[in-house]
């Protein structure tokens, strides 16, 4: 793959390289199995966003039900559209469109909460890369469980405290600039 022009995508490419995740050398579709897995992981993060916006279990349960109903409606809309790409090129175009829409909504959520998401992304990138182990020669490598889950090295740090500090910094900066 040629190096993407987007800095955030470059970070993820580096992660994929380091952890042996798939990287396409040319634009092409991913398998249905891989697309489904990635969609599930994305949905997990959506559910985490709903939980983060909930004040209690009851609110979360109601919001999750609304999310589930929305997913059913989206499924039926797609099922009944009759528009299933048949060539690899058409699938790649449709995937690029869907991924861009996902990014647009994700960036829109960052806009709505008023956070400079690139700074937070950089923290998460550092935390993800800290999962790598270091051998006696200083070379980084990944370790996995039997089921393929990435193991965390002793150097791993959870990003939440640094994210908290960054958001606090952004809140303070906004207050200062408003004065």
């Amino acid at each position: 793959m040629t190096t993407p022009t987007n800095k955030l995508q470059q970070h993820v490419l580096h992660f994929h390289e380091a952890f042996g995740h798939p990287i396409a050398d040319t634009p092409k579709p991913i398998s249905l199995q891989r697309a489904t897995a990635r969609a599930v992981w994305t949905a997990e993060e959506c559910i985490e966003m709903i939980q983060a916006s909930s004040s209690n279990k009851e609110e979360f349960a109601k919001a999750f039900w609304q999310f589930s109903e929305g997913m059913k409606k989206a499924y039926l809309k797609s099922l009944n559209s009759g528009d299933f790409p048949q060539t690899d090129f058409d699938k790649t175009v449709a995937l690029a469109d869907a991924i861009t829409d996902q990014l647009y909504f994700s960036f829109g959520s960052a806009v709505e909460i008023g956070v400079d998401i690139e700074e937070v992304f950089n923290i998460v990138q550092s935390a993800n890369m800290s999962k790598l182990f270091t051998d006696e020669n200083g070379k980084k490598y990944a370790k996995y469980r039997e089921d393929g889950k990435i193991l965390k090295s002793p150097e791993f740090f959870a990003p939440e405290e640094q994210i908290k500090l960054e958001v606090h910094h952004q809140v303070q900066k906004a207050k200062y600039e408003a004065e």
Side-chain angles (χ1 to χ4, degrees), residues 1-177:
M1 168 179 212
T2 59
T3 302
T5 57
N6 181 286
K7 186 164 57 168
L8 302 182
Q9 189 176 353
Q10 289 172 15
H11 284 318
V12 177
L13 173 62
H14 183 62
F15 178 86
H16 275 237
E17 289 170 341
F19 288 91
H21 292 309
I23 299 169
D25 54 358
T26 184
K28 62 185 173 188
I30 57 177
S31 70
L32 177 58
Q33 180 182 1
R34 189 73 178 164
T36 302
R38 295 196 70 81
V40 168
W41 300 330
T42 301
E44 288 174 2
E45 299 307 323
C46 291
I47 292 166
E48 188 176 309
M49 184 171 83
I50 293 167
Q51 185 208 10
S53 297
S54 302
S55 297
N56 54 52
K57 288 182 179 181
E58 292 76 23
E59 280 184 2
F60 177 59
K62 182 179 177 183
F64 177 77
W65 181 84
Q66 290 173 329
F67 175 77
S68 297
E69 288 300 307
M71 293 299 95
K72 288 179 192 174
K73 287 179 184 176
Y75 162 74
L76 293 172
K77 178 183 173 189
S78 292
L79 180 68
N80 294 321
S81 76
D83 186 23
F84 293 91
Q86 298 302 307
T87 68
D88 281 355
F89 179 78
D90 289 343
K91 286 181 180 183
T92 303
V93 170
L95 284 163
D97 177 50
I99 292 164
T100 301
D101 289 343
Q102 289 173 13
L103 288 169
Y104 210 89
F105 279 107
S106 293
F107 283 123
S109 294
V111 168
E112 288 193 28
I113 68 169
V115 169
D116 179 353
I117 207 65
E118 186 171 357
E119 297 302 322
V120 176
F121 192 99
N122 290 336
I123 293 166
V124 171
Q125 172 70 2
S126 293
N128 283 339
M129 297 307 288
S130 76
K131 293 176 184 178
L132 290 169
F133 289 78
T134 307
D135 71 13
E136 61 278 354
N137 297 317
K139 184 179 179 211
K140 299 285 187 179
Y141 66 98
K143 281 188 183 179
Y144 302 91
R145 286 191 327 208
E146 283 183 15
D147 64 359
K149 181 170 173 56
I150 296 170
L151 294 175
K152 296 173 183 166
S153 79
E155 299 169 28
F156 173 74
F157 68 90
E160 289 78 11
E161 280 304 311
Q162 287 189 14
I163 293 170
K164 183 187 275 187
L165 290 171
E166 176 59 32
V167 171
H168 178 75
H169 169 74
Q170 291 183 27
V171 167
Q172 295 306 312
K173 181 180 176 187
K175 285 180 183 177
Y176 176 77
E177 290 174 352

